[in-house]
Amino acid sequence: MASEPVVTSKIYIPVCLWIKISLLVLVLYWLSVATEELNAEPKNIEKRSGLFTDSKKKQTSLSFVNTHFSKDPHLDSALNESILYFKRTPKDSKFWYGQTEYSKEEVLLSLEELQRIIHNNTIEEIQNEIQKHFHLKELSPVDGPPTITGYYEVRIYGKTKPEGEYQYPALTPPISEFSSVENPKLFPRERWREKSIWEKYSKPIVFLRLTDLHLAQLEGSALVQTETNELFRINYAADNSKDYISPSVFLQGICTSLKPYQLSNCFQSKPKEVSEAIFKNPRYIFFERENLSKSKTKTDKTILGPFGSQGIRLVSFRSVAMDKQVPLGFPVLLTFQSKEWSVNHQLVFVHDRGNAITGVGRLDYYLGSKRGVEEVANNLLTKGKVILLLPKK
């Protein structure tokens, strides 16, 4: 009985060593596989991960997961707006990004190619086709990733005649006689509060509350509904060439919220302070009226967007405002994540400019005119990724 443990021990030790040796061999094998992967050619990595690479071989990671192209009518509309804009430009027009010049024909061909790519390919194929036909330029400002904000079309009520708090007219551009010594178009905001001035030089489109007029002038347009249930739009037509000063500068510690769409709440308790702050902003915007046909007022979805720059119609979630360094009409891939939602390589188009949208590191995302969108737009302030799609030479 005492000799049995000795026999068992002699058998156990070799088995244990065999297991350890087998494990060691297996580990060495996987290490060799991993080394081969690390040393693989960049093009093999691109095939596996679906990376896009620009002409400088700097990899820009793109993924169109959960991105809809041909199924989105807004995308078709936005792309068509860009195409129509370039078709309206003179034949010999030139467009610049940095030191690179693009002809009208080059840009139009690239947009028409983009339209074909979107309509005729799967998501995976779209990735490859965009890489093939466009140079992907990621905009990287020196102070960090691009800043993304949101804007929207204001919905307000108005009166056909001045009544109660609806005393402030949305005015058409002033008309002055040739012999006039002063140019009324350059008058600061303060002068346009005088009835004698606007009756002499301009025409009222509709009468609004002061805070709503400020909001419409800030955003550049507004959908207006009157006491007769008439719905129309007032669009930016001209300005007095003065710099904008935000009323929030003068309302620190006076208003609980300094967000433009919430100034009307502060006005109820502090009308004098809010009025003075608004009139200290010298910039003044003039409007033109756009009538909307009945067929376009039944639902939010059928209402055409307001005009952006150069007569381009804005399209919800597909139009953006950027600095003049980025040519109007050019396509952009936009990525960001905020508290409300995230956007992954959304294909958008530069359809607008903004007085406060300066530098290639700024992008203002147009969110449309649906009710409740103002809160989302005013709360959107985040960092993101902006990739400009440039026609390949």
Side-chain angles (χ1 to χ4, degrees), residues 9 12 19 36 43 59 94 101 141 149 188 226 228-229 265 330:
S9 175
Y12 175 78
I19 293 173
E36 288 180 7
K43 61 182 181 180
Q59 292 176 345
K94 303 295 181 184
E101 178 188 275
T149 52
T226 66
T228 60
N229 286 326
N265 298 332
F330 274 42

Side-chain angles (χ1 to χ4, degrees), residues 62-299:
L62 296 185
S63 172
F64 291 148
V65 177
N66 299 324
T67 302
H68 299 287
F69 287 93
S70 56
K71 294 181 180 179
D72 186 355
H74 287 187
L75 176 56
D76 274 338
S77 296
L79 184 46
N80 282 329
E81 283 297 321
S82 282
I83 291 173
L84 290 173
Y85 161 66
F86 286 108
K87 285 184 175 179
R88 291 195 300 267
T89 60
K91 187 176 181 180
D92 58 350
S93 294
K94 303 295 181 184
F95 307 91
W96 293 81
Y97 180 75
Q99 301 299 315
T100 307
E101 178 188 275
Y102 301 94
S103 67
K104 171 180 177 174
E105 184 181 7
E106 283 178 312
V107 178
L108 268 176
L109 285 173
S110 72
L111 290 175
E112 289 166 355
E113 184 64 29
L114 182 60
Q115 196 171 48
R116 182 196 66 77
I117 289 170
I118 291 169
H119 287 169
N120 300 331
N121 293 279
T122 64
I123 297 297
E124 293 76 13
E125 290 169 340
I126 288 173
Q127 288 186 211
N128 295 328
E129 289 295 308
I130 286 180
Q131 180 186 3
K132 187 187 301 181
H133 292 92
F134 290 88
H135 170 62
L136 276 65
K137 175 66 178 177
E138 184 172 347
L139 305 185
S140 303
V142 293
D143 56 347
T147 299
I148 314 298
T149 52
Y151 71 116
Y152 62 102
E153 183 172 29
V154 178
R155 282 177 171 266
I156 52 180
Y157 289 94
K159 300 281 188 178
T160 53
K161 295 180 180 180
E163 178 185 327
E165 57 184 340
Y166 295 86
Q167 294 290 329
Y168 301 91
L171 297 172
T172 59
I175 300 172
S176 60
E177 297 180 2
F178 254 176
S179 57
S180 177
V181 177
E182 55 184 3
N183 183 357
K185 187 179 178 181
L186 301 179
F187 288 169
R189 174 182 294 270
E190 184 69 27
R191 294 203 63 183
W192 291 108
R193 70 192 299 181
E194 302 171 25
K195 186 177 181 181
S196 60
I197 293 293
W198 60 257
E199 279 187 332
K200 180 179 180 180
Y201 293 111
S202 183
K203 292 181 180 180
I205 300 172
V206 66
F207 291 89
L208 306 170
R209 299 185 303 173
L210 179 59
T211 51
D212 287 340
L213 176 61
H214 165 68
L215 198 55
Q217 291 179 321
L218 180 64
E219 298 296 339
S221 71
L223 285 174
V224 183
Q225 185 173 346
T226 66
E227 73 276 15
T228 60
N229 286 326
E230 185 181 15
L231 184 65
F232 58 90
R233 175 180 285 120
I234 52 175
N235 286 311
Y236 169 94
D239 63 71
N240 63 351
S241 301
K242 301 289 190 293
D243 290 331
Y244 172 75
I245 300 176
S246 173
S248 64
V249 173
F250 311 102
L251 294 173
Q252 297 284 346
I254 296 174
C255 296
T256 305
S257 172
L258 297 175
K259 293 175 180 176
Y261 76 106
Q262 292 181 339
L263 277 185
S264 58
N265 298 332
C266 186
F267 186 86
Q268 301 304 315
S269 58
K270 305 284 185 180
K272 182 175 181 295
E273 291 85 347
V274 173
S275 297
E276 289 178 352
I278 289 176
F279 281 111
K280 284 178 182 177
N281 166 34
R283 186 170 172 81
Y284 195 84
I285 304 296
F286 303 97
F287 296 99
E288 60 184 4
R289 173 174 170 146
E290 179 190 359
N291 293 320
L292 303 175
S293 65
K294 291 182 179 179
S295 63
K296 289 186 173 66
T297 60
K298 290 180 181 179
T299 66

Side-chain angles (χ1 to χ4, degrees), residues 72 74-75 77-78 300-301 303 305-306 313-319 346 348 365-370:
D72 186 355
H74 287 187
L75 176 56
S77 296
D300 289 346
K301 292 181 180 178
I303 296 177
R313 287 278 185 183
L314 301 183
V315 181
S316 305
F317 304 105
R318 294 292 180 179
S319 294
Q346 179 89 331
V348 297
Y365 190 30
Y366 178 65
L367 303 181
S369 58
K370 286 190 175 181

